Amino acid sequence: VDERGGMDWLGPEFLTWMWWRASVDPEFLRKDGSSVYVHVDEFLELKGERAAARKTTLRAGMPGASAEGKVALRNGKVVTAARLLLARGEEETALTLRAEDFDLSAVRLPATEINEPDERLGASLSAVRRLYEDLDFCFAAFLALRCTQRWDAELVKLRAWAGAPSDEERTL
């Protein structure tokens, strides 16, 4: 809890951690042996903490690998929204997650070839349930680190990644 009694830092810290994880180790392994893969795609928004600070919005392509994103991070901006791809087996779901309130938007569920309306609705509802399970799983993995002594070691790795040149910077 911050000095005002809130936890405004939690969402941006989670999305920054997800960006890092997607860059260095996108696989989240479940206890049952299945995996969820995470990728940051097509949209990344970062803002400075001061009211006068501008926001950086990256669209299209792979913003997670861009020089602009890493430079904004190095300049103290935090991730406030990201377009995530979550893959479970052959099933891929895309969504935009906002850090402020964990609001989901622009959700694209896996395509289904079911023609019967009731069955299609059931398949869509199942896909939404799996999406929330996957997000909850990733958030639980984050909290399992963030709320323990292991966070210090994780933070060292995250800071090293943030300070290192992006894929785009290395090719320039």
Side-chain angles (χ1 to χ4, degrees), residues 19 23 39-42 44 58 60-70 161 165-171:
W19 176 18
S23 297
H39 177 71
V40 175
D41 190 48
E42 297 180 356
L44 190 62
L58 306 172
M62 294 179 53
S66 72
E68 292 92 346
K70 292 285 280 288
W161 166 81
S166 67
D167 295 344
E168 188 177 71
E169 289 172 297
R170 280 193 282 273
T171 60

Side-chain angles (χ1 to χ4, degrees), residues 66-130:
S66 72
E68 292 92 346
K70 292 285 280 288
V71 168
L73 198 58
R74 282 186 222 126
N75 287 325
K77 292 184 179 179
V78 297
V79 181
T80 55
R83 179 83 174 157
L84 301 174
L85 296 178
L86 300 177
R88 180 196 276 209
E90 297 295 315
E91 189 174 274
E92 189 175 276
T93 303
L95 64 126
T96 300
L97 180 62
R98 297 230 166 259
E100 179 180 26
D101 54 8
F102 284 62
D103 184 40
L104 302 183
S105 62
V107 175
R108 189 185 75 230
L109 298 174
T112 179
E113 301 200 14
I114 299 171
N115 292 325
E116 179 63 37
D118 289 341
E119 290 179 20
R120 186 178 318 134
L121 177 61
S124 294
L125 291 174
S126 292
V128 169
R129 179 184 44 79
R130 288 188 300 277

Side-chain angles (χ1 to χ4, degrees), residues 17-47:
W17 181 78
M18 287 287 281
W19 176 18
W20 169 69
R21 274 296 303 265
S23 297
V24 299
D25 183 16
E27 182 180 23
F28 286 78
L29 189 60
R30 296 176 177 275
K31 289 181 182 179
D32 67 3
S34 65
S35 297
V36 176
Y37 291 87
V38 178
H39 177 71
V40 175
D41 190 48
E42 297 180 356
F43 177 76
L44 190 62
E45 180 182 88
L46 300 98
K47 288 184 185 175

